[in-house]
Amino acid sequence: GAGVSQSPRYKVAKRGQDVALRCDPISGHVSLFWYQQALGQGPEFLTYFQNEAQLDKSGLPSDRFFAERPEGSVSTLKIQRTQQEDSAVYLCASSPSQGLHTEAFFGQGTRLTVV
Amino acid sequence: DQQVKQNSPSLSVQEGRISILNCDYTNSMFDYFLWYKKYPAEGPTFLISISSIKDKNEDGRFTVFLNKSAKHLSLHIVPSQPGDSAVYFCAASEPFQGGSEKLVFGKGTKLTVNP
C-alpha cells in the first residue's frame, strides 16, 4: 500500500480482555514506532523497532503492553488485561531510515475503548 | 514534565491573514524539530521541519522559525486558508545515538481559519 495501514480502526474491549493491534508500515521502511494518544493530548512514544529489533521500549506503560515485529515489516501491539486507562488512539508510524533525521509517516490509528 | 509545550490550545484567524503557532521546549539536546498537521479521524501528517543548525525553513505558505537561545519555535502560515483548519503538533527529537529516533510531541494547537 501507499501509506501506513492500521487495523482495526476501532476496537471496543471489555476490561480485562486482551487486544492485538496491527500495523502495516510503508514497504521498505526500516524504522517503526508505536505512539499512544489520549484525548486532548499529543502522541506519546511507546516503542521503536529498527527492522525486527526492538531498540527502545521505554515508553511502554506497563508489562501488560507488548510489541513485536518478527520479520521486520508488520508489527503487532498487544495489550493484555486491558484497563480503562488504556483507552486511547494507538498510532503506528514508519520512516525509511535510521540515524538520519527524517519525518515519520503515520497511520490513521486504532481507537481503543475499554468499557 | 513536558519537554515540548504548546501553550495555546486553540487559535482562530481570518482567511488570508497570518497564522502563528508557537512551541517551546526544555530539552537542550533536541536537534531536530517538526510540525505535523492532523485532521479528525486521521493520523498526523508531516508538514515542515527544521534542523537546529538553521533558524528558518520555508516551504510555500509555511515557514518555521527556530530561536535556540529561547528554546522556541514558531510556525507561520501565510496566507491562511480554511483548509488549514486542523490540529497542529510540534515535535522534537534528539540526535540519533544508535538507540531511538523517537519524537516528543506537544499537546497540539487547534487552528480554525474562518472564511
Side-chain angles (χ1 to χ4, degrees), chain A residues 35-69:
Chain A
Y35 288 84
Q36 179 190 59
Q37 186 177 15
L39 192 63
Q41 305 293 315
E44 291 198 7
F45 171 79
L46 292 177
T47 187
Y48 163 68
F49 289 87
Q50 185 184 107
N51 295 307
E52 70 278 4
Q54 189 175 20
L55 297 187
D56 187 347
K57 52 183 180 180
S58 62
L60 296 177
S62 78
D63 58 8
R64 296 186 295 104
F65 286 71
F66 172 76
E68 60 183 5
R69 193 187 185 197

Side-chain angles (χ1 to χ4, degrees), chain B residues 25 28 30 33 51-54 66-72:
Chain B
Y25 62 96
S28 57
F30 288 147
F33 304 88
S51 165
S52 61
I53 62 173
K54 296 185 176 182
L66 175 62
N67 182 335
K68 283 179 60 180
S69 61
K71 293 192 178 69
H72 177 84

Side-chain angles (χ1 to χ4, degrees), chain B residues 22-61:
Chain B
N22 293 303
C23 178
D24 297 291
Y25 62 96
T26 57
N27 186 347
S28 57
M29 294 298 293
F30 288 147
D31 72 337
Y32 193 65
F33 304 88
L34 309 90
W35 285 92
Y36 278 83
K37 175 179 178 179
K38 186 181 182 303
Y39 293 118
E42 295 185 11
T45 55
F46 171 75
L47 192 57
I48 192 169
S49 62
I50 188 167
S51 165
S52 61
I53 62 173
K54 296 185 176 182
D55 55 17
K56 177 182 174 181
N57 188 27
E58 189 172 353
D59 183 2
R61 297 185 297 114

Side-chain angles (χ1 to χ4, degrees), chain B residues 6 17 32 42-43 60 62-64 80:
Chain B
Q6 294 178 258
R17 307 295 290 268
Y32 193 65
E42 295 185 11
F62 303 91
T63 303
V64 56
S80 302

Side-chain angles (χ1 to χ4, degrees), chain B residues 3 9 13-15 17 19 28 30 34-35 40 48 53 60 66 73-74 76 78 86 97 103 110:
Chain B
Q3 298 186 69
V13 300
Q14 251 349 85
E15 181 178 6
R17 307 295 290 268
S19 296
S28 57
F30 288 147
L34 309 90
W35 285 92
I48 192 169
I53 62 173
L66 175 62
L73 63 155
S74 60
H76 293 212
V78 55
Q97 293 173 336
L103 295 176
K110 183 177 182 179

